[in-house]
Amino acid sequence: MTQSPMAAVWRELGGDPTLLAGVSTVVRAGALEARLPVREMARACVGGCALAAAELAAERTGRARVPRVTADDGAVATAFVSERHLRVDGRAPVSFAPLSRFWRTADGWVRTHANYPHHRTRLTSALGLADDATPGDVAAVLAERPAREVEETVYAAGGLAVALRTPEEWTAHAQGRAVAARPLIERGLLDSAPARALAPPGGDGPLLPAAGVRVLDLTRVIAGPVATRTLALLGADVLRVDAPHLPEAADAHADTGFGKRSTTLDLATDRRRFQELLATADVVVTGYRPGALDRFGLTPEALAERRPGLVVAQLSAWGAYGPWSGRRGFDSLVQVATGIAVTEGSAEQPGALAAQALDHGTGYLLAAAVLRALTERSGDGRGRLVRLALARTAAWLTDGVARDPGDSAGLGTENAATGLPYDRPDTWLTDRDGPAGHLRYALPPVTFADGPTDWARPPGPWGADAPRWL
């Protein structure tokens, strides 16, 4: 019998398989429709995260039974495109800049990413164009050049461009082979020193399994911020730390900043302040390309030496191994390299998934891995390292997620409600006012009995908080 996606996730997380009986699913036709099994993958990522949260809640409160979990396709599908549902004072955000798109080349297609000004400058410079080049200017240059030559030239200049590959080409690629050889969720021990003991979460409100957990959030864009946004939902004190010279787009910050605080630190000059934060942190989450933070002493081993018992969670686009390990990347580019854009496209042009599912899915897996690490750490006190990559999630989606029409969690039909439609996302959207204005946003999909249903606070201004714990 093929293992269900949710059971596969729970196994990767090292969870007790008997707890899967406490998960119920609501299967909705029309949610996250794609040629690939995106709906099943998304449900498994969110359901696994919710089960990890419920397990930690039971462990910290001394409950004999783990609270029941529900994974509803409607909530999951809505959250997986949260950036599209966001409205700020009625305005819809702009997701992609004009130079972030597919382009025809002399022998195929290439996709670029230039949402940030410094990435745009590197792209246009690599192509021999002025910084104010128009899409027409870029199209004219790319039409005369081979796709893989463009890829190498732009990456050499620090920009982002990826040539379209078929699934077969990616499977044969050295990076594709390196990624496929690794587990979906890499987990390991960091040290043998005792971690800070966490007091049981108190209060009369919702059950918050991460209450009192201090999380340093060094992530950007979608996957990492989704993970830390989820930890904030569950009660963690999440402090996002950015370099002052790399501001985040306001709309992206509004979408993924719920429940968190945001500060800026120059790690080259403010190491003392960062060390003060690290000295009482429980979790550090990083989302920069492998090696990018090493010069600041932020390798997992160096962090664990300075803060014994720490949980270090690392996220990257291509993985921390193989010839592309040091490359920058985003969900849209990983889809192009791994053959997803070919599978979801047509004979005329490449396509894309209905959501940035690699980002969102990996984000929930990362949060789940942190939660399970905290549960395991409560038993032995040892620090842990968890590591995920968008490209490895892509490999799982394209060659590891089983489609099934009804019993999607593999838990028995009594645990699955099927045949329900996904017509409108309104059920899973809500409104609130905050420092950014009046927000319309997607509710969190990670739900379990007696758990939180929304974030305690709306997103605040980027970089506006002091670098200290609550």
Side-chain angles (χ1 to χ4, degrees):
M1 179 179 176
T2 302
Q3 189 175 42
S4 75
M6 198 173 300
V9 164
W10 195 239
R11 182 197 67 222
E12 291 270 349
L13 289 167
D16 177 356
T18 64
L19 296 183
L20 287 166
V23 180
S24 299
T25 62
V26 181
V27 181
R28 297 182 185 272
L32 295 175
E33 290 187 324
R35 292 172 183 160
L36 290 166
V38 176
R39 180 177 62 182
E40 291 85 348
M41 182 270 276
R43 185 193 305 130
C45 294
V46 171
C49 183
L51 185 55
E55 178 193 36
L56 180 60
E59 191 280 329
R60 293 192 64 195
T61 57
R63 297 191 179 198
R65 297 178 63 86
V66 171
R68 291 195 62 82
V69 166
T70 300
D72 189 317
D73 283 352
V76 172
T78 303
F80 262 57
V81 288
S82 62
E83 65 275 10
R84 300 182 198 173
H85 290 304
L86 179 70
R87 297 293 182 271
V88 181
D89 292 329
R91 177 185 57 81
V94 176
S95 297
F96 286 96
L99 299 190
S100 297
R101 47 167 276 196
F102 282 107
W103 309 87
R104 281 193 179 274
T105 64
D107 61 352
W109 293 86
V110 71
R111 183 155 189 170
T112 56
H113 195 287
N115 283 5
Y116 291 102
H118 57 292
H119 290 158
R120 177 193 170 99
T121 297
R122 293 168 186 171
L123 171 65
T124 55
S125 176
L127 299 178
L129 296 169
D131 194 36
D132 61 353
T134 67
D137 297 331
V138 175
V141 170
L142 294 181
E144 302 297 324
R145 301 177 64 173
R148 297 195 187 182
E149 176 190 297
V150 171
E151 176 182 277
E152 294 302 323
T153 300
V154 173
Y155 262 107
L160 296 112
V162 172
L164 181 71
R165 288 172 172 81
T166 66
E168 295 75 19
E169 287 172 330
W170 180 248
T171 298
H173 192 280
Q175 189 63 31
R177 295 195 304 271
V179 165
R182 299 289 180 134
L184 175 63
I185 302 170
E186 296 186 64
R187 303 161 51 243
L189 295 171
L190 272 180
D191 57 43
S192 58
R196 177 174 77 100
L198 298 173
D204 299 325
L207 193 57
L208 298 174
V213 174
R214 291 172 169 173
V215 179
L216 281 172
D217 175 8
L218 281 70
T219 70
R220 293 171 65 80
V221 196
I222 297 178
V226 163
T228 52
R229 180 180 71 182
T230 302
L231 297 175
L233 167 76
L234 300 170
D237 180 8
V238 178
L239 182 63
R240 174 166 166 167
V241 179
D242 284 284
H245 64 283
L246 288 177
E248 181 63 282
D251 291 337
H253 181 69
D255 176 47
T256 59
F258 284 90
K260 311 180 198 176
R261 293 176 300 120
S262 169
T263 194
T264 60
L265 283 177
D266 186 337
L267 295 181
T269 58
D270 292 335
R271 293 195 189 186
R272 182 185 60 81
R273 186 66 59 86
F274 183 83
Q275 180 58 37
E276 290 171 352
L277 293 168
L278 179 64
T280 56
D282 299 291
V283 180
V284 174
V285 185
T286 65
Y288 293 79
R289 69 188 189 281
L293 299 177
D294 290 2
R295 67 186 187 277
F296 302 119
L298 299 183
T299 65
E301 296 75 17
L303 287 167
E305 183 177 350
R306 290 146 64 196
R307 176 57 171 159
L310 190 69
V311 174
V312 178
Q314 292 186 321
L315 168 75
S316 63
W318 306 107
Y321 31 76
W324 284 17
S325 62
R327 289 193 174 190
R328 299 172 176 86
F330 294 92
D331 180 306
S332 58
L333 303 183
V334 176
Q335 289 190 40
V336 172
T338 58
I340 291 174
V342 170
T343 301
E344 296 294 333
S346 66
E348 289 74 33
Q349 63 181 29
L353 297 173
Q356 294 193 68
L358 305 180
D359 262 333
H360 286 272
T362 307
Y364 289 110
L365 290 178
L366 188 66
V370 169
L371 294 166
R372 286 243 64 246
L374 290 170
T375 296
E376 293 177 338
R377 193 185 76 167
S378 66
D380 61 23
R382 300 182 67 180
R384 281 166 166 78
L385 170 66
V386 298
R387 183 182 285 145
L388 289 95
L390 302 187
R392 184 60 184 86
T393 303
W396 178 51
L397 173 63
T398 56
D399 196 33
V401 178
R403 258 194 208 280
D404 55 59
D407 179 18
S408 300
L411 307 173
T413 54
E414 71 277 5
N415 285 49
T418 62
L420 301 175
Y422 178 65
D423 297 326
R424 295 167 60 87
D426 297 28
T427 301
W428 301 281
L429 298 175
T430 192
D431 295 81
R432 77 194 301 176
D433 291 314
H438 184 76
L439 302 178
R440 177 80 161 162
Y441 61 97
L443 287 165
V446 173
T447 57
F448 56 93
D450 300 324
T453 57
D454 199 352
W455 290 275
R457 54 186 290 165
W462 178 84
D465 295 291
R468 62 171 180 262
W469 298 114
L470 291 175

